[in-house]
Amino acid sequence: MIFNEEFETLPREALEALQLKRLKQVVSRVYHTVGFYKKSFSEAGVSPSDIKSLDDIRRLPFITKQDLRDNYPFGLFTVPMSNIVRLHASSGTTGKPTVVGYTKRDIETWAELMARSFVAAGLTRNDIIHNAYGYGLFTGGLGAHYGAEKFGASVIPISGGNTKRQIMILQDFGPTAICCTPSYALYLAETGKEMGVDMKHLRLRVGVFGAEPWSEKMRQEIEDKLGIMALDIYGLSEVMGPGVAMECADGRHGLHIFEDHFIVEIIDPKTGEVLPYGQEGELVFTTLTKEAFPLIRYRTRDISRLMVEPCKCGRTYAKMAKVSGRSDDMLIIRGVNVFPSQIESVFFGIEGLEPHYQLVVDRQGALDTLEVRIEVSEDAFSDEIRALQEMERRIAKDIKDYLGVTANVKLVEPNTLKRFEGKAQRVIDKRDI
Ligand code: DLL
């Protein structure tokens, strides 16, 4: 099903013509209203009149998270505060958050893109959506909320936390869809099980999960434990919030990027060079329709790959592969680049292991060390020590074979690692570098 047939299935040529028209408008808008852009375009020797084709976007400079920080909190807005109806901010583990603003029309655009995303997941106005993304400065809660209302579904604004109560609501209100981070979906499944609830036989049939990287194995695990179809949604506050790209229920292979509202590029994170379709690199987004806070060539740090193969669903957009990690989350262990999601995919789904883990990186002398702590199930925990040691050795060997890094694998007791209601933080880096 398609929410906005006209735009979601535009022939590529018409789509690109629309993108060019919108690109010219937004470039002119930021140049004339935001000092930062006037300066950075001038330094790059480019002005709005130089944008004659879509390829000319490459002449424009990138904007980075640091530029956003330097203009904290509202320095990059193109409209006066009286035209802003909403502010959000991205979490960020250090320092000040990144603040984003929306005009009334921006909120409408965002709701439309979230509605498109839910409809791509096969939802209709007959669905009840349990929205366990956090409400607040985080864009997940309100973003999903407005999208659900836009196409007429019933939304339960449960937000994150109070997990036992969530299980009760899941049983009593009978939602047919759920959205939250994938790690919280697993935590819900686990809590339900502990409470003796048969989570597979709730009315839930679809999950729309995002806000953090998750592997295919994690998808399987969620699908098995909750008895649902689990789909991936991508977005970031700076670019809009959730609903920048969405996997459709027909394809389940890559996320459609709503290209009538965004131009996407993949670049080599080291050189900034634009890479061809199919190659892995850093996602760069330009917003085409945002009013309050447009971004031109924003470097996301998210690593993915673009695909153009036609999809069964009929959407003509390019797709992005599941995000494999962030370039700044990438661990470099003894010179080997690894993403937490790659380590996860080695052990997820192994019988006797729970989907809760932690990676501890440290340094002994000049050498990096990686400890992988994984919880075992109650059943496996009662096994002989020898069997557990054997399992640890096997996982360490798989990590070595698959990723080329030496890991010290430690199976830990059930329920000892931290659980997350929002985005999971699984890496503890103790190296002082
Ligand atoms: O996480 C927006 C969002 C909310 C997306 C709900 C999906 C669902 P931020 O807090 O600004 O915004 O964080 C954005 O989260 O740059 C990625 O690194 C990561 N991320 C978001 N979605 C995915 C995904 C929201 N599907 C950052 N897969 C992004 C992998 C994701 N990483």
Side-chain angles (χ1 to χ4, degrees):
M1 266 168 312
I2 296 185
F3 180 74
N4 189 331
E5 187 91 36
E6 182 191 346
F7 284 96
E8 295 185 65
T9 62
L10 269 182
R12 290 296 302 180
E13 222 169 86
L15 178 62
E16 285 169 15
L18 178 67
Q19 284 186 316
L20 180 59
K21 185 176 133 216
R22 291 179 166 176
L23 177 64
K24 286 179 179 172
Q25 285 166 353
V26 71
V27 167
S28 170
R29 180 187 184 95
V30 297
Y31 183 82
H32 290 109
T33 53
V34 184
F36 168 85
Y37 281 107
K38 184 164 232 160
K39 186 159 168 275
S40 76
F41 287 5
S42 305
E43 278 166 10
V46 52
S47 75
S49 58
D50 291 322
I51 304 297
K52 299 195 173 73
S53 72
L54 281 180
D55 279 347
D56 288 332
I57 197 172
R58 298 181 187 187
R59 303 178 60 177
L60 299 167
F62 295 116
I63 185 166
T64 63
K65 186 99 173 170
Q66 188 56 46
D67 297 321
L68 271 48
R69 283 203 190 104
D70 293 346
N71 290 282
Y72 177 83
F74 309 139
L76 296 172
F77 291 0
T78 71
V79 296
M81 218 30 166
S82 52
N83 288 4
I84 301 269
V85 299
R86 176 101 63 83
L87 293 166
H88 279 285
S90 77
S91 36
T93 43
T94 50
K96 304 265 191 196
T98 305
V99 183
V100 296
Y102 304 77
T103 63
K104 217 169 183 143
R105 205 184 83 185
D106 290 336
I107 295 287
E108 277 160 22
T109 308
W110 185 16
E112 147 119 22
L113 296 193
M114 275 310 296
R116 288 186 190 182
S117 303
F118 282 133
V119 172
L123 303 186
T124 70
R125 53 180 302 125
N126 295 324
D127 281 290
I128 305 176
I129 304 177
H130 183 95
N131 183 16
Y133 284 123
Y135 281 62
L137 285 178
F138 176 54
T139 51
L142 283 169
H145 185 105
Y146 275 58
E149 288 187 347
K150 174 90 182 171
F151 74 100
S154 319
V155 52
I156 307 174
I158 189 87
S159 193
N162 213 336
T163 307
K164 287 196 171 137
R165 185 159 152 264
Q166 300 227 5
I167 302 292
M168 180 187 78
I169 302 282
L170 284 167
Q171 287 179 289
D172 296 353
F173 292 14
T176 49
I178 178 164
C179 43
C180 58
T181 58
S183 44
Y184 192 56
L186 284 174
Y187 183 28
L188 275 170
E190 177 186 63
T191 308
K193 194 173 160 208
E194 275 166 17
M195 289 167 66
V197 176
D198 182 358
M199 296 298 281
K200 273 183 121 144
H201 291 96
L202 296 171
R203 283 187 71 212
L204 288 179
R205 61 183 180 86
V206 179
V208 176
F209 304 117
E212 63 185 6
W214 52 309
S215 61
E216 283 300 330
K217 287 231 175 117
M218 188 158 172
R219 185 198 317 254
Q220 272 166 30
E221 188 104 17
I222 294 174
E223 293 193 334
D224 290 348
K225 293 195 163 154
L226 290 177
I228 59 173
M229 172 166 65
L231 297 169
D232 195 1
I233 184 162
Y234 171 83
L236 59 166
S237 331
E238 296 89 323
V239 172
M240 191 181 68
V244 172
M246 174 71 201
E247 208 168 40
C248 65
D250 312 81
R252 299 246 279 162
H253 177 59
L255 293 76
H256 295 281
I257 301 162
F258 296 114
E259 287 181 289
D260 46 335
H261 293 272
F262 311 103
I263 290 180
V264 60
E265 299 169 89
I266 288 271
I267 63 164
D268 178 329
K270 288 205 186 77
T271 63
E273 182 202 349
V274 177
L275 300 174
Y277 275 70
Q279 279 197 32
E280 193 169 78
E282 178 181 336
L283 286 166
V284 171
F285 283 99
T286 297
T287 67
L288 294 174
T289 51
K290 268 191 1 176
E291 288 184 332
F293 182 53
L295 279 178
I296 308 293
R297 303 196 86 198
Y298 181 64
R299 291 191 58 164
T300 62
R301 300 282 165 196
D302 292 327
I303 304 296
S304 179
R305 184 165 51 78
L306 297 178
M307 307 179 257
V308 274
E309 303 94 69
C311 185
K312 279 193 274 195
C313 70
R315 288 179 184 78
T316 46
Y317 299 131
K319 288 185 183 182
M320 55 183 259
K322 237 174 171 346
V323 171
S324 56
R326 289 179 59 81
S327 58
D328 45 7
D329 277 354
M330 189 175 73
L331 297 167
I332 306 181
I333 296 165
R334 299 193 194 177
V336 183
N337 298 349
V338 274
F339 291 109
S341 56
Q342 290 177 307
I343 298 177
E344 170 190 307
S345 67
V346 171
F347 56 76
F348 248 65
I350 296 184
E351 184 143 8
L353 294 185
E354 290 297 320
H356 302 287
Y357 68 98
Q358 203 173 51
L359 308 177
V360 184
V361 190
D362 207 345
R363 183 162 281 182
Q364 276 173 4
L367 283 186
D368 298 326
T369 57
L370 169 67
E371 185 175 292
V372 180
R373 299 176 183 159
I374 318 167
E375 270 184 25
V376 290
S377 63
E378 291 285 353
D379 284 353
F381 190 63
S382 56
D383 281 358
E384 275 178 49
I385 293 206
R386 214 160 9 103
L388 294 177
Q389 285 172 337
E390 181 47 41
M391 183 130 82
E392 287 174 343
R393 265 196 297 274
R394 207 181 85 212
I395 298 166
K397 181 175 182 305
D398 286 351
I399 292 176
K400 178 83 188 172
D401 290 349
Y402 178 55
L403 298 166
V405 292
T406 305
N408 176 17
V409 175
K410 271 200 180 150
L411 299 182
V412 300
E413 285 181 43
N415 276 314
T416 47
L417 296 179
K418 192 169 176 339
R419 304 292 192 261
F420 301 93
E421 288 163 5
K423 295 173 195 260
Q425 277 166 357
R426 295 200 167 97
V427 180
I428 302 174
D429 199 336
K430 296 181 168 168
R431 294 175 295 187
D432 195 14
I433 41 176

